[in-house]
Amino acid sequence: MTYGCIASMKVRPGSRDDVVAILLSAVDGLREAGCDLYVVGLSDGDDVTIWVTEVWRTKEHHDASLTLPEAKAAIGKAMPMLTGEFTKQELSVVGGLGL
């Protein structure tokens, strides 16, 4: 079944735009890695939280993507700007617009 994930991360004050840029810089190879949807979102009333919504062909595709050199480099670059507060909800995606 198609795998989905909705996650949030908290950033250190003043770091949100830098982390968003890092997240978006990794988009190029995602489709080839098995990603069908990757959306980075921000709330107007919260300047320290970033939301990421992903849909992958399978959970295995998602997990494998985290081992790619580009992903590891992006994660390493972003980590010092994060507070360590994360949420994650895994989903079985059954359909929707844009998929």
Side-chain angles (χ1 to χ4, degrees):
M1 174 151 297
T2 303
Y3 171 79
C5 174
I6 300 171
S8 71
M9 63 191 78
K10 299 264 187 201
V11 300
R12 298 187 187 287
S15 298
R16 187 174 77 171
D17 291 344
D18 292 331
V19 174
V20 166
I22 292 167
L23 293 170
L24 293 176
S25 72
V27 179
D28 289 339
L30 291 181
R31 187 160 309 278
E32 293 79 26
C35 185
D36 293 322
L37 179 74
Y38 182 83
V39 177
V40 177
L42 305 173
S43 173
D44 292 339
D46 179 351
D47 63 354
V48 296
T49 305
I50 299 171
W51 293 90
V52 180
T53 304
E54 304 173 55
V55 176
W56 292 81
R57 289 181 207 132
T58 66
K59 183 170 183 349
E60 292 75 23
H61 281 96
H62 172 267
D63 293 348
S65 76
L66 297 174
T67 68
L68 297 172
E70 302 85 4
K72 287 183 175 183
I75 291 167
K77 190 174 178 182
M79 277 304 219
M81 293 181 267
L82 303 176
T83 67
E85 296 174 70
F86 302 95
T87 67
K88 181 176 181 181
Q89 179 64 55
E90 296 179 299
L91 310 164
S92 295
V93 178
V94 296
L97 181 64
L99 298 176

